[in-house]
Amino acid sequence: MLGVFSSSIVSPPEELVAAGSRTPSPKITAKSLVNRFVGNNPSAVSMQIGDDVQLAYTHQNESITHPRSFAVKDEIFCLFEGALDNLGSLKQQYGLSKSANEVVLVIEAYKALRDRAPYPINQVVGHLVGNFSFVVFDKSTSTLFVATDQHGKVPLYWGITADGCVAFANDADLLKGACGKSLATFPQGCFYSTAIGELRCYENPKNKITAVPATEEEIWGAKFMVEGPSSIISATQ
């Protein structure tokens, strides 16, 4: 799955900008990235949302245990990969039908977060038990919301394209060819919301997240780390 957002939606993370500046490497534009994804996946579905957002996904080569899904409701778009172990109880909590799947559940959870404020974001994501990563875009408020599970079982990566867009994808090689060294693993157990403007750990939302420059040999430009009470805990697999 792939989500690409212009700088008017999300500001490119300074750590990834710096990583790309330290080690200049070839990049391509957001449009070329989406075209490459669609070209490599004949069954891919892609969509343009206004002038600033492009989403794409495919079921090609997906895991049986971690399927990909897409849904849109009330101008809220969601790409989801993985599975929730507590989907049944969450459907009851949010008043959803028995046929509702994970991607529909995430949209409803996001709506609750948006409409019942103040409602702690970390609690909403923390209630999701399972292996997952997702990208939510709310067109009505131009809000981006991204999260991964605590164990990093469904990898997600993010990077910056040649024209300054921020891209999220489950394929590291795809982003490596598009973002150069302005690339990192999205840290496990964390969420990013443009509503608060920063990356946070949902288990310990007050803990600071720092970016450690990667070595020249690594494909990443940086590794994001969650600081613990007495040490820095790696937030990547």
Side-chain angles (χ1 to χ4, degrees), residues 15 30 44 77 81 120 124 126 143 167 172 182 187 191:
E15 299 89 345
F77 299 77
E81 182 172 6
V124 173
T143 299
S182 295
F191 67 87

Side-chain angles (χ1 to χ4, degrees), residues 157-228:
Y157 310 94
W158 57 339
I160 305 172
T161 64
D163 48 347
C165 293
V166 179
F168 298 85
N170 61 342
D171 184 340
D173 290 333
L174 176 71
L175 289 193
K176 179 184 177 183
C179 304
K181 282 286 187 175
S182 295
L183 172 67
T185 299
F186 191 88
Q188 64 196 53
C190 293
F191 67 87
Y192 180 89
S193 171
T194 53
I196 59 173
E198 63 181 3
L199 189 65
R200 290 186 184 177
C201 170
Y202 51 82
E203 186 175 1
N204 299 292
K206 294 184 179 180
N207 288 14
K208 185 179 179 181
I209 297 177
T210 58
V212 179
T215 63
E216 290 293 326
E217 293 76 20
E218 296 181 272
I219 68 169
W220 318 114
K223 289 185 178 180
F224 288 87
M225 319 285 276
V226 181
E227 294 186 4

Side-chain angles (χ1 to χ4, degrees), residues 71-82:
V72 56
K73 181 179 181 182
D74 300 332
E75 295 194 310
I76 301 170
F77 299 77
C78 181
L79 291 168
F80 183 96
E81 182 172 6

Side-chain angles (χ1 to χ4, degrees), residues 25-93:
S25 51
K27 296 183 177 184
I28 61 175
T29 65
K31 182 178 180 180
S32 297
L33 171 59
V34 175
N35 289 342
R36 179 175 293 179
F37 178 86
V38 173
N40 292 340
N41 299 280
S43 61
V45 176
S46 65
M47 63 212 76
Q48 176 91 30
I49 306 170
D51 296 326
D52 301 305
V53 178
Q54 296 180 82
L55 302 177
Y57 73 99
T58 178
H59 293 296
Q60 187 173 327
N61 299 324
E62 73 178 8
S63 166
I64 296 175
T65 56
H66 299 147
R68 303 181 197 110
S69 51
F70 168 79
V72 56
K73 181 179 181 182
D74 300 332
E75 295 194 310
I76 301 170
F77 299 77
C78 181
L79 291 168
F80 183 96
E81 182 172 6
L84 297 177
D85 298 334
N86 61 337
L87 179 60
S89 61
L90 289 173
K91 285 193 287 189
Q92 291 183 334
Q93 177 181 335

Side-chain angles (χ1 to χ4, degrees), residues 87-167:
L87 179 60
S89 61
L90 289 173
K91 285 193 287 189
Q92 291 183 334
Q93 177 181 335
Y94 287 99
L96 299 175
S97 67
K98 292 182 179 180
S99 62
N101 61 3
E102 281 88 351
V103 70
V104 172
L105 185 281
V106 168
I107 288 177
E108 290 301 324
Y110 168 79
K111 286 179 64 178
L113 171 68
R114 183 193 65 184
D115 300 338
R116 301 176 192 173
Y119 202 65
I121 298 178
N122 59 295
Q123 290 186 17
V124 173
V125 186
H127 289 159
L128 306 178
V129 179
N131 303 325
F132 62 86
S133 63
F134 64 77
V135 175
V136 170
F137 177 66
D138 183 350
K139 184 181 178 183
S140 65
T141 60
S142 295
T143 299
L144 172 66
F145 182 39
V146 182
T148 61
D149 71 75
Q150 295 187 39
H151 306 290
K153 296 297 184 181
V154 182
L156 186 68
Y157 310 94
W158 57 339
I160 305 172
T161 64
D163 48 347
C165 293
V166 179

